Amino acid sequence: MLPKIKAVPKLAAALAIAAALTFGAAQALPDSPCTPLPPHTCADKDPEWCDGFCASNSYPYGGSCLTGLDCCLCLEK
C-alpha cells in the first residue's frame, strides 16, 4: 500500500506535464500563418506550386511556400 501512496505525487506531476504540453500544442497551432488547406507540404515541390494550388482553391492572388513551416501561405488581398 505504501508504494502506491508514494506513486501519487509522481503521477500528479506526470499529468501536470502532459496537460501543459497539450495546452502548448493547442496554442501553437492556431497561431500558424499557414493557410488551412491540405496538403501542408510544399518544400519538395516546384517553387510556384503553392501559387497555382492557392489560385485553384479560391485564392485569386495565389500564394507562396513557407519553407520553414513547409506549408502554403495563400494571399487573400
Side-chain angles (χ1 to χ4, degrees):
M1 184 72 173
L2 188 58
K4 289 182 181 179
I5 293 173
K6 287 183 177 181
V8 171
K10 292 179 183 179
L11 180 61
L15 289 174
I17 291 170
L21 291 174
T22 302
F23 177 76
Q27 294 300 310
L29 292 176
D31 294 337
S32 174
C34 299
T35 301
L37 294 174
H40 289 294
T41 56
C42 61
D44 61 342
K45 305 221 179 358
D46 181 32
E48 296 177 5
W49 183 83
C50 274
D51 192 47
F53 178 76
C54 291
S56 65
N57 281 287
S58 302
Y59 290 90
Y61 301 106
S64 61
C65 179
L66 295 176
T67 54
L69 296 173
D70 196 20
C71 67
C72 290
L73 174 64
C74 296
L75 304 172
E76 295 182 11
K77 295 180 183 181

